[in-house]
Amino acid sequence: MPIIAPSLLSANFLKLEDDCKMLNESKADWFHLDVMDGRFVPNISFGPMLVEFFRKSTHKTCDVHLMIEEPEKYADAFKKAGADILTVHVEACKHLHRNIQQISSLGMKPGVAINPHTPLNTLENILQDIYLVCLMSVNPGFGGQSFISHSYQKISQLKKMIKDRGLNVLIEVDGGVSPSNAKAIVDAGADVLVAGNAVFKAPNPQVAIDTLKAIG
Ligand code: DX5
Ligand code: ZN
């Protein structure tokens, strides 16, 4: 069964308390929190202040996905806000290894995200040091985009890379995941499904979560 990580980016920000309660009562495993700075991606979302509110409203894992430049400047603030997992983009880090060390030494689980065009070999020398790889299956910046089908191949290649090296790194797939493609994504090797629109725009979000959770 995959780990289900609904992305709160697609929640109703005027009713966040209700959406958090719904997730807490659902089979969702993690809260996926998308932080955007308007520089690394062409959109701005929220920062540590809101993460702190999410932290206080759930006992579930807070999985923070940083789509920001210079993430090293904010790692401490996200730790204080209560992030459990902190993921940075390989494209945004000049010193990725140092960034990962910083995240681990602050007591968070480190993740590395890669954009659709970024080859898997950028992960070769960091894979042993991280908790998860976030494979972007859309170009980051917005919820509600279509899944890029080339991602299936990338997921299975990454799965093989991880297996061949005897590692335990989780593969998180982020972008365009829905009940209609989730089985193929899990079959390709995904461990964690991020879903924004497929959950929050569904007629019944808890049923959508149940459907995703029942896969595999
Ligand atoms: C995209 C974000 C995703 C996104 C997922 O930049 O990282 O987490 O919100 O939303 P959907 O599932 O709607 O593609
Ligand atoms: Zn995300």
Side-chain angles (χ1 to χ4, degrees):
M1 262 195 289
I3 291 168
I4 307 302
S7 164
L8 276 294
L9 189 66
S10 300
N12 180 345
F13 275 52
L14 289 179
K15 292 187 175 171
L16 280 180
E17 198 174 358
D18 296 349
D19 284 341
C20 289
K21 190 167 177 287
M22 179 278 291
L23 288 185
N24 284 334
E25 290 166 356
S26 78
K27 289 185 185 153
D29 300 283
W30 297 355
F31 278 30
H32 183 82
L33 305 174
D34 287 305
V35 175
M36 302 178 182
D37 66 352
R39 291 173 65 214
F40 179 67
V41 288
N43 195 9
I44 300 175
S45 59
F46 54 80
M49 190 187 84
L50 207 56
V51 171
E52 201 177 327
F53 279 101
F54 286 125
R55 169 75 293 156
K56 286 180 183 150
S57 61
T58 189
H59 294 298
K60 300 196 183 202
T61 295
C62 284
D63 169 33
V64 178
H65 176 192
L66 297 184
M67 284 160 275
I68 66 172
E69 302 280 359
E70 300 181 292
E72 65 279 3
K73 287 190 180 168
Y74 302 95
D76 194 43
F78 283 104
K79 171 63 187 174
K80 289 194 178 113
D84 298 301
I85 302 169
L86 197 66
T87 295
V88 294
H89 267 262
V90 69
E91 303 86 0
C93 295
K94 273 195 200 129
H95 299 282
L96 182 62
H97 189 268
R98 181 180 287 149
N99 298 147
I100 294 304
Q101 278 182 319
Q102 178 195 27
I103 294 167
S104 298
S105 66
L106 283 167
M108 294 175 285
K109 291 175 175 163
V112 171
I114 63 169
N115 282 338
H117 79 283
T118 302
L120 290 174
N121 62 21
T122 54
L123 298 169
E124 245 163 49
N125 296 311
I126 201 72
L127 211 50
Q128 68 283 349
D129 299 309
I130 60 179
Y131 178 68
L132 66 77
V133 173
C134 175
L135 268 191
M136 293 307 302
S137 40
V138 298
N139 286 297
F142 303 93
Q145 303 180 78
S146 303
F147 185 85
I148 297 170
S149 58
H150 169 69
S151 313
Y152 291 118
Q153 197 186 328
K154 230 171 155 184
I155 299 164
S156 44
Q157 282 169 358
L158 177 59
K159 191 74 174 182
K160 186 174 179 321
M161 245 172 106
I162 292 169
K163 257 196 179 165
D164 287 351
R165 293 179 54 182
L167 297 171
N168 245 332
V169 183
L170 296 176
I171 301 179
E172 175 177 68
V173 176
D174 188 2
V177 176
S178 71
S180 59
N181 60 15
K183 180 160 174 22
I185 295 170
V186 170
D187 286 350
D191 304 294
V192 185
L193 300 176
V194 175
N197 271 30
V199 167
F200 289 99
K201 309 290 183 223
N204 185 334
Q206 287 197 342
V207 170
I209 293 168
D210 288 351
T211 309
L212 293 171
K213 190 69 192 169
I215 283 161

